[in-house]
């Protein structure tokens, strides 16, 4: 368990450092993203969609406010186009994270976990718990990127990874985009309630999963 947590913690620190760096620098703030999307909407709806896709793909490398961005996509593009744009962006980010880690992640794995037996245990543990981690990764920022990288690093089959990723991503993106589409500056309640509801739902699922995992442990 410790080797797996060690790797996930290092990945978390990497993604978190990009978030704090952007926060301090003021780049990619929510207000700035709103301004970009507003400017793009004055020119062409396709430009808004490409901006949303690009920012969500960029989330693999630097942490961006994913849920807020999807809500804004729904607001500017409507529920369907906003949702599809969000799905494409998150699908690209997840696939790229998996592919990069699949090809190069073993080098990091070998350096951090030098014992072959511990490496095998860490891989086996993620193969067992990884599907749930991917499915519930939208509970918190950064965890989706970590789960995609861990799936590639531990050589989870792409078919299984992409299935879990889509199951997690599709409803999340469509619900958030719809909430954004029916929200206005005067009435932002649908977006606020949806953000709270989605976060609460995934955290509740995590709580249930952890409780069952503890009960399943041998005494």
């Amino acid at each position: 368990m410790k080797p797996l947590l060690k790797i996930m913690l290092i990945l978390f620190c990497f993604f978190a450092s990009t978030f704090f760096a952007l926060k301090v620098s003021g780049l990619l703030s929510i207000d700035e993203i709103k301004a970009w999307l507003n400017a793009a909407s004055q020119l062409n709806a396709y430009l808004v969609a490409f901006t949303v896709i690009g920012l969500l793909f960029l989330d693999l490398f630097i942490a961006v406010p994913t849920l807020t961005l999807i809500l804004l996509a729904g607001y500017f593009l409507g529920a369907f186009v906003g949702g599809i744009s969000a799905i494409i962006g998150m699908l690209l980010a997840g696939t790229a994270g998996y592919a990069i880690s699949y090809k190069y992640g073993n080098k990091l794995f070998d350096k951090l976990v030098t014992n072959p037996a511990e490496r095998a245990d860490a891989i086996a543990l993620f193969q067992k718990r990884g599907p749930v981690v991917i499915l519930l990764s939208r509970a918190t920022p950064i965890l989706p990127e970590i789960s995609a990288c861990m799936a590639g690093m531990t050589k989870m089959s792409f078919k299984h990874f992409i299935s879990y990723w889509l199951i997690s991503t599709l409803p999340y993106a469509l619900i958030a985009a719809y909430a954004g589409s029916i929200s206005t500056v005067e009435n932002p309640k649908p977006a606020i309630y949806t953000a709270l509801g989605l976060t609460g739902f995934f955290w509740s699922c995590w709580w249930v999963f952890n409780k069952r995992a503890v009960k399943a442990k041998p005494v």
Side-chain angles (χ1 to χ4, degrees):
M1 185 72 172
K2 286 183 178 179
L4 184 62
L5 290 176
K6 180 181 179 181
I7 296 170
M8 294 182 72
L9 180 60
I10 289 173
L11 289 173
F12 174 84
C13 290
F14 168 75
F15 288 116
S17 66
T18 65
F19 173 79
F20 287 116
L22 289 173
K23 200 74 173 175
V24 172
S25 66
L27 296 173
L28 288 181
S29 65
I30 293 175
D31 289 337
E32 193 169 52
I33 291 173
K34 284 181 182 177
W36 287 1
L37 295 177
N38 188 53
S41 67
Q42 303 299 318
L43 299 174
N44 192 300
Y46 291 108
L47 186 57
V48 179
F50 282 123
T51 302
V52 170
I53 292 170
L55 287 172
L56 287 172
F57 172 72
L58 196 62
D59 191 35
L60 175 63
F61 306 100
I62 52 176
V64 300
T66 304
L67 181 54
T68 302
L69 183 55
I70 300 172
L71 290 167
L72 288 171
Y75 175 78
F76 283 101
L77 295 170
F80 180 73
V81 178
I84 294 299
S85 300
I87 290 168
I88 292 172
M90 289 190 286
L91 184 59
L92 290 174
T95 302
Y98 173 91
I100 293 170
S101 299
Y102 192 96
K103 188 170 184 179
Y104 301 106
N106 61 308
K107 296 179 181 179
L108 176 64
F109 215 143
D110 291 346
K111 286 182 179 180
L112 295 176
V113 186
T114 56
N115 188 310
E118 290 184 347
R119 281 202 303 272
D121 288 342
I123 291 171
L125 182 59
F126 190 82
Q127 293 285 356
K128 180 180 179 181
R129 300 287 175 83
V132 177
V133 174
I134 296 170
L135 289 171
L136 302 182
S137 62
R138 299 291 167 188
T140 180
I142 301 176
L143 188 56
E145 292 74 39
I146 293 175
S147 66
C149 291
M150 288 302 304
M153 199 179 296
T154 57
K155 301 298 188 285
M156 176 185 286
S157 75
F158 181 74
K159 180 178 70 173
H160 289 155
F161 163 73
I162 204 64
S163 297
Y164 302 134
W165 188 264
L166 285 173
I167 291 171
S168 173
T169 299
L170 289 175
Y172 183 87
L174 294 175
I175 292 171
Y178 174 74
S181 71
I182 61 174
S183 299
T184 62
V185 175
E186 294 77 17
N187 181 29
K189 289 182 180 179
I192 294 171
Y193 292 155
T194 299
L196 293 174
L198 285 172
T199 303
F201 169 76
F202 281 106
W203 272 109
S204 299
C205 291
W206 266 117
W207 181 80
V208 172
F209 169 69
N210 287 330
K211 194 170 183 180
R212 290 186 175 181
V214 169
K215 286 184 177 179
K217 285 183 180 179
V219 180

